[in-house]
């Protein structure tokens, strides 16, 4: 079963705007990772944030983590048409497993 | 570092046939994972290996599914007596020997299976 829920399920914005996607999860985690998937392709790792971290940046990406609310957000600034993809959050459970538990994803469309 | 590779990229088969997929992880990675993704959903964990040992299997992995990693390098995933419900993208990922700073799983391009 899938642990996470991304919100919104779909997001359409204009090039240059910022895109914010949210993720909620259910159990304690070691880390939370965000991946991007272009249509019909494999997943590309974007950023990892550990359970003891609150915010991380990588280029145009900013990720926050609130373990008390079991939620995370991914902000993409100054979006480009090439950012069009599905974005997934994935959590690694805190105890006894290295598997990743994915949400259903947010489908982002950036219009030129 | 050539990344994770998977073969074949696409497979069409008839119901009841057996299929086998191969995954070659990044060369120094000792951990290898299999996931399945259906349309409109996120990937779901199937199984994972540390070296040649299969350490965890999901309940999704019915007795028709078997995965091996005989020498701790490449892995195969076999589905016997395929059913239409097996149609999905099968994704493989690998990660480095575990320490606190190397948890990232790197995914291959996937094998898309269609069972007719």
């Amino acid at each position: 079963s899938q642990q996470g829920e991304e919100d919104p399920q779909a997001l359409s914005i204009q090039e240059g705007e910022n895109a914010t996607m949210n993720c909620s999860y259910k159990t304690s985690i070691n880390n939370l990772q965000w991946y991007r998937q272009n249509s019909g392709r494999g997943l590309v790792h974007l950023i990892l944030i550990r359970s003891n971290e609150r915010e991380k940046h990588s280029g145009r990406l900013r990720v926050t983590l609130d373990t008390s609310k079991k939620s995370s957000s991914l902000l993409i600034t100054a979006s480009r048409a090439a950012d069009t993809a599905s974005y997934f959050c994935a959590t690694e459970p805190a105890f006894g497993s290295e598997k990743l538990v994915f949400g259903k994803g947010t489908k982002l469309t950036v219009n030129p | 570092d050539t990344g994770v590779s998977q073969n074949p990229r696409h497979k069409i088969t008839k119901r009841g046939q057996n299929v086998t997929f191969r995954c070659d992880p990044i060369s120094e990675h000792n951990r290898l994972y299999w996931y399945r993704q259906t349309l409109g959903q996120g990937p779901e964990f199937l199984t994972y290996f540390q070296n040649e040992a299969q350490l965890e299997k999901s309940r999704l992995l019915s007795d028709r599914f078997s995965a091996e990693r005989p020498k701790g390098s490449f892995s195969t995933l076999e589905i016997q007596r395929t059913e239409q419900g097996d149609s999905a993208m099968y994704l493989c990922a690998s990660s480095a020997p575990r320490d606190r700073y190397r948890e990232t799983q790197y995914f291959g391009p996937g094998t898309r299976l269609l069972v007719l």
Side-chain angles (χ1 to χ4, degrees), chain B residues 13-105:
Chain B
T13 191
K14 293 182 179 178
R15 189 176 55 186
Q17 297 294 305
N18 299 346
V19 293
T20 300
F21 310 139
R22 176 176 169 130
C23 171
D24 288 88
I26 293 170
S27 60
E28 71 270 21
H29 286 186
N30 68 338
R31 283 162 162 78
L32 187 147
Y33 310 80
W34 285 99
Y35 294 82
R36 181 174 71 184
Q37 184 179 25
T38 53
L39 205 59
Q41 302 293 314
E44 293 181 290
F45 171 79
L46 293 177
T47 188
Y48 98 91
F49 294 83
Q50 180 178 330
N51 299 312
E52 65 276 9
Q54 189 172 19
L55 295 188
E56 187 175 350
K57 292 197 294 186
S58 161
R59 285 171 293 178
L60 291 174
L61 213 65
S62 76
D63 57 5
R64 295 185 299 106
F65 288 70
S66 62
E68 294 183 343
R69 195 182 183 200
K71 297 182 180 179
S73 56
F74 72 91
S75 175
T76 58
L77 177 68
E78 181 183 17
I79 310 175
Q80 296 182 326
R81 304 181 304 280
T82 52
E83 302 172 355
Q84 288 180 324
D86 297 331
S87 295
M89 173 84 91
Y90 290 83
L91 294 160
C92 176
S94 70
S95 66
R98 193 74 168 191
D99 64 35
R100 181 159 172 71
Y101 300 102
R102 296 197 288 182
E103 308 100 314
T104 299
Q105 292 184 24

Side-chain angles (χ1 to χ4, degrees), chain A residues 1-2 30-31 33 35 37 40-43 45 48 50 52 88 92 96-100 102-104, chain B residues 31 33 35 37 40-45 48 56 89 91 98 100-105 107-109 112:
Chain A
S1 64
Q2 297 188 294
N30 283 333
N31 62 67
Q33 305 181 41
Y35 287 85
Q37 185 177 40
R41 304 282 186 97
L43 287 92
H45 186 262
L48 179 152
R50 295 187 179 85
N52 62 349
F88 294 92
E92 183 183 293
S97 176
E98 294 182 13
K99 68 183 180 186
L100 291 178
F102 285 82
K104 294 185 178 181
Chain B
R31 283 162 162 78
Y33 310 80
Y35 294 82
Q37 184 179 25
Q41 302 293 314
E44 293 181 290
F45 171 79
Y48 98 91
E56 187 175 350
M89 173 84 91
L91 294 160
R98 193 74 168 191
R100 181 159 172 71
Y101 300 102
R102 296 197 288 182
E103 308 100 314
T104 299
Q105 292 184 24
F107 281 79
R112 186 173 293 283

